[in-house]
Amino acid sequence: MVLQNLTRLQRGELAILESAGLSADRLTDGQTNLLHELRRSPLVSDMGQRELMTLDLVALIFDHILDDRRIPDAIKALIGRLQIPVLKVAMLDPTFFSQRNHPARRLLDVLAEASMGWEAQEGHDSGLYRKMEETVQGILRTFDDRIDVFTAALADFEHYLAEEKKLIDTRTGQNAQILYTREQRALAEIVAHDALQVQLFDRVVPDLIRDFLYGPWQEVLTRIHAAAGESSPAWQEALQTAADLIWSVAPKGTADERQRLVSRLPGLLKRLSDGLDSIDWAAAERDRFFAALMRCHAEAVRHGMRGEASPATHGSEHAAGAVAATGSPDFASTAHLQHHEPTQPDEPGTAPAATMETFEPLDTPAAPIEVEPVVMQEVAATPTVGVAAAHGLGGKTQGTASAADSDETLLACLKRGTWIEIRQADGSLMRAKLAWISPMRGVYLFTNRLGLRAMSIGAAGLAAKLRTGEIQVIDPVPLVDQAFDALLDRLQAAG
C-alpha cells in the first residue's frame, strides 16, 4: 500500500496529493524537499519504523543535494523531481545506501556531473537540458517497483553523453593543436636562439650580422626545428651556414684565407638566399642586407691586408667586392640597414609573459567547428579560501593555498576534466573545464562544457591565481557520496 501511494504521488495524481495535503506545484518544482512535508502527512501512517527511517535518511540526502551549489538551479530542479522515485528505490533495495555503483545513485551522480558546466544562457532548449528532462520524465512515468528502469535510464543518458563527447573532443583537439603548435614553436625559438648563442660565443661580429642571426636567421632555424627537429640535415646545414657567415666577416689576414673566402662565398650566399626564401622577410630589407654584407666582406679583406703592398691590396679588394656580388640577389640598393636590437626570447621552460599572467583566448582555427574566444579580465587578488568555504560548493573544506606552496604542488590536483571557478573583475564567477595540458605542462587549455570558449594560461600564471584564490578548484566528489558523507557527519554529531 505504501509503495502504491508513493507511485501515485510520483505521477502527480490529484487525489493522493489532496489526501496528503501536498501541493502539485511543490511536487513538480523540484527545488523543495517534499520528503519533509511527506513526513508530516497522513500518508506516513501506513509506514513501518524501517520505512520511516528510510524516509528520514533520503530526506537528509536531498537536503544536501538541493543545497549543493555546484549544481545549477535549473538542473537541481530536475534532479529534485526524483525524490519520490529515489525514496521508493531505497525502500525496495537497502543496498542503495551501501553500493556506490547502485544504478539510482549513479544516475544522480551522472546527472549532477553533466550539469557542472551547464550555463543558464544555454536555456531549457539546449540538448543537455532536454535530455535530462526526458530522463527524469521517463522515470516518473514508468517506474513502479522495477529498479532496472534506473539501469536503462542510466545507460541511455551515458550514451547521450558519449555522443556529445565526440563533438567536444573534436573541438578540444583543434584547440589543443593550436596550443601544441604554439608551444612547439616557442620551444623551437629557444633552441634556435641557444644554438646561435653558442655560435656567437666569444666572437666579435658586426652588429649587422648579429642582428641578422638573431632576427631572420633565427626564424629560419625556428621553422626548421619545428618541422624537422635538431637531427635533420636541414637544421645542421642552417647552423653551418650561420657559422660560415660569422667566419666570412672576420678579418682575412692571409692570402689562403682570402682565397677560401673567394671560393666559399657563392655557396654561402646561395644558402642564405635559399633559407630566407622560407620566411616572410620583405624583399627591400633582404636586398639591403645583402648589399651591406658585401661591404662587410670587402672590409674583412681590407682589414686583414693592412701592411701589405699597395698593388696587392687594391687587387684583392677588387676581387673580394666582385665575388661578394657573384651568385647573390640584385644589390642595387646601397642604403644602410636600420639597426634593431635582437629580440631575446623568454627563458627556457617558461611561457610568454602574457600567458603567465592571465588567460588568453585562442585564435579561431580554420575549421568548421566554432571556437568562441573570451577575454578573461584581470582581477585583484582575493583572500585565499577553500572551495567549500568560499562558494558553498559542497564537500569538506579543502586546504587553503599558502604562499609557500610550490607551483608544482598547486597544479598537481589539476587533471583533465577538472572544473574550476574563476572570479572575474565584477565579482561574478565563471566555470571552465581543464580540457588539455601541454606535453611540457607549460600551458593549460580550458573550455566550457561544450568545448567552446577556449582559453589558455601558463603554468605559473595558473598557480598564482590558485594561490590568491582568484581560481578555485570545484570539489570532484560525486554528488551522492558527498551527500552521504554529510549525512554521516550529521548523524555522528547528533549521536
Side-chain angles (χ1 to χ4, degrees):
M1 185 66 178
V2 171
L3 287 175
Q4 291 176 350
N5 286 337
L6 289 177
T7 298
R8 294 172 62 196
L9 188 62
Q10 163 189 310
R11 293 174 184 168
E13 294 184 12
L14 290 177
I16 194 71
L17 284 169
E18 290 175 358
S19 66
L22 301 175
S23 163
D25 290 339
R26 292 173 72 80
L27 178 69
T28 58
D29 73 5
Q31 298 203 53
T32 300
N33 194 328
L34 194 70
L35 299 180
H36 289 306
E37 296 187 20
L38 180 62
R39 185 68 168 82
R40 297 188 293 268
S41 76
L43 289 181
V44 301
S45 60
D46 292 332
M47 290 187 180
Q49 189 62 36
R50 177 180 172 279
E51 291 168 330
L52 287 173
M53 182 177 297
T54 300
L55 170 59
D56 290 339
L57 290 176
V58 175
L60 290 174
I61 290 171
F62 271 93
D63 277 343
H64 186 85
I65 290 174
L66 296 174
D67 193 45
D68 193 326
R69 290 187 58 196
R70 294 178 302 173
I71 309 170
D73 287 343
I75 307 300
K76 196 181 297 180
L78 288 177
I79 296 175
R81 292 167 69 181
L82 293 176
Q83 292 174 59
I84 301 300
V86 170
L87 172 60
K88 287 170 56 181
V89 168
M91 288 181 172
L92 289 165
D93 185 4
T95 64
F96 170 80
F97 293 102
S98 59
Q99 291 185 359
R100 290 178 180 269
N101 289 326
H102 191 284
R105 287 181 61 166
R106 283 286 302 135
L107 181 63
L108 292 176
D109 285 337
V110 171
L111 289 172
E113 183 180 353
S115 73
M116 199 73 72
W118 185 86
E119 299 170 330
Q121 51 264 43
E122 288 188 52
H124 292 188
D125 291 330
S126 67
L128 178 64
Y129 185 91
R130 289 201 307 268
K131 187 61 182 179
M132 285 185 169
E133 187 174 40
E134 174 191 316
T135 302
V136 170
Q137 289 288 9
I139 291 173
L140 294 175
R141 186 176 62 255
T142 63
F143 177 54
D144 43 31
D145 58 359
R146 295 180 54 193
I147 297 175
D148 59 1
V149 169
F150 280 87
T151 303
L154 174 62
D156 180 63
F157 189 71
E158 287 183 326
H159 175 73
Y160 169 83
L161 292 179
E163 291 299 310
E164 185 182 62
K165 186 175 182 293
K166 292 178 183 178
L167 176 61
I168 294 171
D169 286 347
T170 298
R171 292 168 173 157
T172 301
Q174 291 173 348
N175 291 319
Q177 184 59 48
I178 293 172
L179 282 183
Y180 180 76
T181 301
R182 184 186 295 174
E183 187 172 73
Q184 288 298 104
R185 176 177 172 81
L187 174 63
E189 286 178 350
I190 292 170
V191 174
H193 180 78
D194 289 349
L196 290 172
Q197 278 189 318
V198 172
Q199 297 280 357
L200 288 165
F201 179 73
D202 208 24
R203 304 293 295 272
V204 178
V205 297
D207 286 345
L208 166 76
I209 303 304
R210 184 176 296 274
D211 289 352
F212 171 77
L213 289 174
Y214 281 130
W217 202 249
Q218 180 173 309
E219 175 64 18
V220 171
L221 285 167
T222 295
R223 295 195 181 192
I224 293 173
H225 187 281
E230 293 177 74
S231 61
S232 65
W235 171 267
Q236 298 301 325
E237 181 178 289
L239 273 185
Q240 185 60 51
T241 299
D244 291 347
L245 176 63
I246 294 169
W247 171 84
S248 74
V249 296
K252 301 295 177 279
T254 67
D256 181 61
E257 286 181 325
R258 293 192 287 274
Q259 184 57 44
R260 276 192 290 158
L261 177 63
V262 169
S263 62
R264 292 183 182 183
L265 206 49
L268 172 62
L269 294 173
K270 185 176 186 310
R271 281 182 283 137
L272 287 170
S273 182
D274 291 345
L276 294 172
D277 285 342
S278 67
I279 66 171
D280 300 324
W281 200 29
E285 291 287 331
R286 183 166 163 168
D287 289 346
R288 284 196 291 270
F289 168 74
F290 278 110
L293 178 60
M294 181 178 66
R295 294 194 295 274
C296 284
H297 289 146
E299 180 60 28
V301 171
R302 182 166 43 249
H303 184 73
M305 292 181 59
R306 286 174 184 166
E308 293 192 8
S310 186
T313 301
H314 294 158
S316 295
E317 287 178 5
H318 176 75
V323 173
T326 302
S328 66
D330 179 13
F331 297 137
S333 173
T334 58
H336 293 293
L337 285 176
Q338 293 182 359
H339 178 73
H340 297 283
E341 290 296 328
T343 301
Q344 302 293 331
D346 295 324
E347 290 297 317
T350 64
T355 56
M356 295 289 288
E357 300 300 330
T358 186
F359 285 94
E360 286 193 340
L362 295 187
D363 299 329
T364 302
I369 302 298
E370 180 185 6
V371 178
E372 303 174 3
V374 168
V375 176
M376 299 295 298
Q377 297 179 345
E378 283 296 298
V379 297
T382 55
T384 304
V385 292
V387 175
H391 308 310
L393 294 173
K396 299 179 181 181
T397 305
Q398 299 180 353
T400 58
S402 70
D405 287 335
S406 68
D407 288 1
E408 183 178 353
T409 300
L410 287 169
L411 299 176
C413 65
L414 297 178
K415 312 295 181 185
R416 284 189 62 180
T418 298
W419 282 95
I420 63 170
E421 276 194 332
I422 307 151
R423 185 171 294 279
Q424 302 185 88
D426 60 0
S428 64
L429 299 174
M430 176 182 177
R431 289 187 180 181
K433 179 179 69 175
L434 178 56
W436 182 79
I437 306 173
S438 68
M440 293 175 59
R441 298 187 69 85
V443 180
Y444 289 70
L445 170 67
F446 290 89
T447 68
N448 69 0
R449 185 185 67 81
L450 295 172
L452 300 173
R453 294 209 304 244
M455 302 169 291
S456 66
I457 187 171
L462 179 57
K465 289 180 180 295
L466 286 167
R467 187 177 290 111
T468 62
E470 295 170 67
I471 289 177
Q472 299 280 347
V473 177
I474 297 178
D475 197 332
V477 177
L479 174 69
V480 180
D481 286 355
Q482 206 170 76
F484 270 85
D485 288 343
L487 174 60
L488 290 175
D489 289 345
R490 188 167 176 176
L491 293 175
Q492 288 173 358

